Amino acid sequence: MVGPLSLFSYWISQNGYMTFTTICAAVLVVVTFGVAVFQLSLACGAPWGTYAFGGGHPGQLPLRYRVTSALSLIIYGFQGAVFASMADLVPTWLPEALVTWILWVFVAFFALGTIMNSISRSKRERYMWTRIVGLSLACALVVALSR
């Protein structure tokens, strides 16, 4: 089985336990993967424009927003890799000081995202993304404070 439960099962089988920080990092890996799938779907033409970019384009997004969604996958790939290393799912591949700095950039990014989504004109975007980005903010804060 592939998915969030297998991620946790793998980690526990390798280490025997999970700290709260590791759980938060693993949650961030799962959330980042979900957001990346959402953005990829938008880039491929999924009719979810109401849930993205302020909800101003119900249905399929215009080409420039679809390109933006596709380019965001680079950021989400990097973000997922950093969080996977914090969850000890992959080896840490960046210097410690840089990882700490990057984590605080993610905290700021999630704080801004939570605010921006909470004031979105789209009720659907506001309802869905404020909660998801707020969860990401809380988990990223836990991980950053543990460094």
Side-chain angles (χ1 to χ4, degrees):
M1 177 175 104
V2 176
L5 291 179
S6 64
L7 176 75
F8 292 110
S9 297
Y10 169 79
W11 206 98
I12 291 170
S13 71
Q14 298 298 309
N15 300 291
Y17 66 93
M18 292 184 81
T19 66
F20 186 64
T21 301
T22 304
I23 292 169
C24 287
V27 166
L28 285 164
V29 171
V30 172
V31 169
T32 300
F33 178 76
V35 172
V37 169
F38 176 79
Q39 291 293 339
L40 178 62
S41 299
L42 288 174
C44 292
W48 300 333
T50 303
Y51 295 94
F53 300 103
H57 303 283
Q60 191 179 64
L61 292 173
L63 182 61
R64 69 182 177 146
Y65 289 106
R66 292 172 62 192
V67 169
T68 301
S69 288
L71 291 175
S72 74
L73 294 172
I74 297 166
I75 295 167
Y76 292 121
F78 176 74
Q79 186 176 334
V82 169
F83 294 142
S85 72
M86 296 299 94
D88 293 329
L89 295 170
V90 298
T92 302
W93 44 277
L94 292 170
E96 189 72 25
L98 183 59
V99 169
T100 301
W101 184 84
I102 289 169
L103 288 172
W104 284 107
V105 169
F106 288 151
V107 168
F109 174 76
F110 291 137
L112 179 62
T114 301
I115 293 166
M116 295 306 291
N117 282 299
S118 71
I119 62 173
S120 172
R121 290 171 288 161
S122 167
K123 183 178 180 181
R124 291 180 177 172
E125 181 181 31
R126 193 171 52 246
Y127 182 80
M128 183 173 86
W129 289 111
T130 302
R131 287 161 174 76
I132 293 171
V133 181
L135 171 65
S136 298
L137 170 60
C139 288
L141 195 54
V142 168
V143 174
L145 287 171
S146 74
R147 306 297 293 174

